[in-house]
Amino acid sequence: MTTLKVINIGKQFSRYPVGRYRADGDSNGEKFREDVLRPLLVMRDDVVIEFDDALGYGSSFLEEAFGGLVRSGFKADDLLKRLTLNTADDSLKKEIISYIKEAKQ
Amino acid sequence: MTQLTGGAVKALITWLLVVLGWMVVSDQQAAREFAKNCYERMQRLREELCEIEDLAIQHHTASFDELRAKKVLRLISQISMEIEHWRKVKCLGIEVIGLVVGLRRAVSIENFDCSSYAVQALDSEIVVNIEIAKNKLDRALMDAAYRAVRERPSLVRSVISSVKRIF
């Protein structure tokens, strides 16, 4: 595995990441998890995610994208070590960490 | 010679007192300005919070509107960033982070997306949770606004901090 990859959600995925499932539109959490996050986590040791260029996040998006990783087999502790969440908004970081910790495998 | 040295010391002390006085006045003025700004912004944030609550409740109780949904999320993101700024300058406490999470979660974790959307009654659990989350954050903003006005630095604190700045 190679070391580090930076993904900017607002610039590389969607300005409005909303929706939980694929049926909720083009910018949903399931799509972000399966098409972006999971391949990166399989290929890279560490992934840096930039949040601040998107215009707003829905909790259902965040829960599905990050909590969904735990439900689909990733270990919460491992994810918390490998993911770097870059945002000036601490509430976003706290919310994502809570979804990772609370999700059941 | 002694008279000359004594005069110089007196002049120096006078000069130091003048500078100290000016610094204390400036410090008090800056604190007043900060408190005024903080109070005004907290009140403005409370108004924005009411707008978020209205839009969020409309979203859950009327037919699905994607534009409205995006607007709610954008407003929550904006208010969250600004609250973070005021938290960093110590106008708000660390507990507001959890309150912002609570608001975003109450608004958008359930029944927010088109595939699972159902119009809610005004007394539904989702609507009540939004009102509770909004009230908690509103209370924190109101407390911060009144704390800013109440807790201005005392003259002694201004003198001490000015002395520290000189030396």
Side-chain angles (χ1 to χ4, degrees), chain A residues 24-36:
Chain A
D24 293 317
D26 288 338
S27 316
N28 60 82
E30 183 184 10
K31 181 179 173 184
F32 181 67
R33 184 187 72 227
E34 292 304 318
D35 300 353
V36 180

Side-chain angles (χ1 to χ4, degrees), chain B residues 33-35 116:
Chain B
E33 279 297 312
F34 177 77
S116 57

Side-chain angles (χ1 to χ4, degrees), chain A residues 48-64:
Chain A
V48 178
I49 308 173
E50 302 278 355
F51 287 88
D52 291 350
D53 287 304
L55 296 170
Y57 290 87
S59 291
S60 57
F61 171 91
L62 297 173
E63 203 287 327
E64 189 59 35

